[in-house]
Amino acid sequence: MLIYHLNNLLILVWAAIFCFHKPSKNKNMIFLFLSFGQLYLLTIFRFLIGYDYVMYAKAFMDLQTQDFWNFTYYDWEYGFVFITKILGMILPSYTSYFAVIAIFTLIPVAIFIYRNTEKVWIGTFMYINFFLFFMQMNFIRQAFAVSITLFAWQFIRKKKFFWFILVILFASLLHSTVLVMIPFYFLAKMRPTGKQVIFYGYALTIFYFSSTGILNLITKIFHQEYNNTQFITEGISLIYAVVPIIILLFTMLNAEKILKINPDNRYVISMVFAGTFFMVIMARHSILERFSYYFFIYIALLVPELISSVEKYGFGRVKNNAMLPNETPIEDVKRFKGQSIILTIVILVLSYAMFTYGMFENAHGVVPYTSWIF
């Protein structure tokens, strides 16, 4: 467990060196190179880390003995089977296989954070502490699919549905659960107001009581191996949804100001709403953890945007339906800066507390960390 805490500490060290004083695009790039570099090292040097580690290692070896044109392997999607076979032809071992796959899962995330927020260190900290990083140590196929969906972000905010669908369909060749994003393309257009809260609250109530039947029906068609299993009948601790709910509360209180700094943030907020929705439901059905990641990864953008909005306009609802003037008095500038620092500390502490809780619960099977090099 210690190595994961040291990883977090190093992230903050890199942030202090490159991001706190006179941040720039070049400094952000260096920060991300160092931060994701150490995440990559954690990934490639692991041994028997992640509940699905053995399954993927075995599959890599099994598929090398299978006829190349036979793309059937358990419940795996054809696209991932094809990629595994191609890599099996050129790579010497499953450890090198994991190393190559990690490149495809981590680099898109780093690019996503770099392109879409100036506070890259906060986005990276969210990515790690909300267990998104651990996907590619455990749910490898899905981690790959999630990374592919990040390229659809530009099509969501530019309202280019055709290109959005193409990206999602391509990602579904790696993991079919990504198809859940299609209906949420339309829900993402909802403006973050009380109506959005009411909509998700109503959907949560209806789905909570009818979800078992719905999920069993779905798993009769897709991923039959989950039908009537513990993944349907048992849930994950509701504690994992507490911090996301708190962040959404902060977000709704500052929604108008978040949209002021970038109108496209309405889609970011909606994505995190959807992700949190699945996190609440997964307290009853653990399988829905897999659905939550497609949306909740946008927490890496939402929190930096929330903090930026407080830094610029202060925290709280806009009074008299008017935004603050462009020429902000110096005393307000200092007050807003203080508010943003306090909010940053609160969110970092809460997310780190949840991360620590997850470590004690051995989330994704990553504890204790073991390596093949020692």
Side-chain angles (χ1 to χ4, degrees), residues 22-58:
K22 295 182 179 180
S24 67
K25 287 289 186 180
N26 288 336
K27 287 182 178 180
N28 285 346
M29 190 177 296
I30 295 172
F31 167 82
L32 289 170
F33 177 79
L34 292 172
S35 299
F36 277 81
Q38 69 190 44
L39 296 182
Y40 182 69
L41 293 178
L42 276 176
T43 300
I44 66 173
F45 290 134
R46 78 189 194 280
F47 179 67
L48 297 177
I49 295 296
Y51 292 123
D52 291 347
Y53 181 97
V54 172
M55 178 188 74
Y56 283 102
K58 181 177 183 297

Side-chain angles (χ1 to χ4, degrees), residues 56-267:
Y56 283 102
K58 181 177 183 297
F60 175 80
M61 295 182 289
D62 287 347
L63 289 173
Q64 291 184 63
T65 63
Q66 181 178 295
D67 176 61
F68 181 83
W69 298 107
N70 179 7
F71 298 129
T72 301
Y73 186 80
Y74 291 104
D75 63 315
W76 283 25
E77 288 74 9
Y78 296 150
F80 198 84
V81 172
F82 176 75
I83 290 172
T84 300
K85 286 189 172 186
I86 292 295
L87 293 179
M89 296 171 63
I90 58 178
L91 298 176
S93 66
Y94 63 79
T95 53
S96 57
Y97 167 66
F98 288 149
V100 171
I101 294 294
I103 292 174
F104 293 113
T105 57
L106 289 174
I107 288 181
V109 178
I111 293 173
F112 177 69
I113 293 173
Y114 176 77
R115 287 180 174 175
N116 295 292
T117 181
E118 295 180 355
K119 300 183 184 299
V120 296
W121 72 275
I122 296 177
T124 302
F125 199 79
M126 295 300 103
Y127 173 69
I128 295 169
N129 285 272
F130 281 106
F131 312 105
L132 295 157
F133 162 61
F134 290 136
M135 270 194 304
Q136 48 84 48
M137 285 189 174
N138 186 23
F139 303 152
I140 296 177
R141 283 157 43 231
Q142 189 170 13
F144 204 156
V146 169
S147 294
I148 294 297
T149 67
L150 297 181
F151 293 102
W153 166 235
Q154 60 179 317
F155 304 126
I156 294 174
R157 59 190 182 87
K158 292 180 181 179
K159 301 178 183 179
K160 295 184 176 181
F161 183 67
F162 174 77
W163 293 105
F164 165 80
I165 283 290
L166 285 184
V167 174
I168 299 306
L169 291 178
F170 179 74
S172 70
L173 297 176
L174 304 175
H175 207 285
S176 59
T177 54
V178 72
L179 295 174
V180 73
M181 291 192 72
I182 295 176
F184 278 89
Y185 171 88
F186 302 99
L187 293 177
K189 296 180 179 181
M190 294 178 66
R191 188 173 178 83
T193 62
K195 291 181 180 179
Q196 190 179 47
V197 177
I198 293 172
F199 171 81
Y200 275 104
Y202 179 76
L204 190 65
T205 302
I206 297 299
F207 191 78
Y208 199 85
F209 292 105
S210 60
S211 52
T212 300
I214 293 173
L215 289 174
N216 276 325
L217 178 62
I218 293 173
T219 53
K220 284 182 179 179
I221 304 172
F222 301 103
H223 293 280
Q224 292 89 345
E225 72 278 7
Y226 293 125
N227 190 251
N228 283 314
T229 64
Q230 62 179 6
F231 295 101
I232 303 293
T233 59
E234 297 179 10
I236 299 174
S237 175
L238 187 61
I239 290 177
Y240 291 109
V242 172
V243 177
I245 289 172
I246 293 173
I247 291 176
L248 278 179
L249 177 61
F250 289 153
T251 298
M252 296 307 294
L253 291 174
N254 229 51
E256 292 175 80
K257 298 172 182 178
I258 295 173
L259 296 182
K260 179 69 175 179
I261 63 174
N262 186 352
D264 289 341
N265 283 334
R266 66 188 297 177
Y267 305 116

Side-chain angles (χ1 to χ4, degrees), residues 256 317-324:
E256 292 175 80
R317 291 187 175 275
V318 179
K319 296 180 180 179
N320 300 322
N321 297 319
M323 293 307 302
L324 295 169

Side-chain angles (χ1 to χ4, degrees), residues 292-313:
S292 69
Y293 288 126
Y294 295 114
F295 307 97
F296 200 72
I297 196 168
Y298 285 83
I299 196 75
L301 302 188
L302 178 60
V303 172
E305 292 297 279
L306 169 61
I307 292 170
S308 292
S309 72
V310 174
E311 195 175 76
K312 188 171 183 179
Y313 298 114

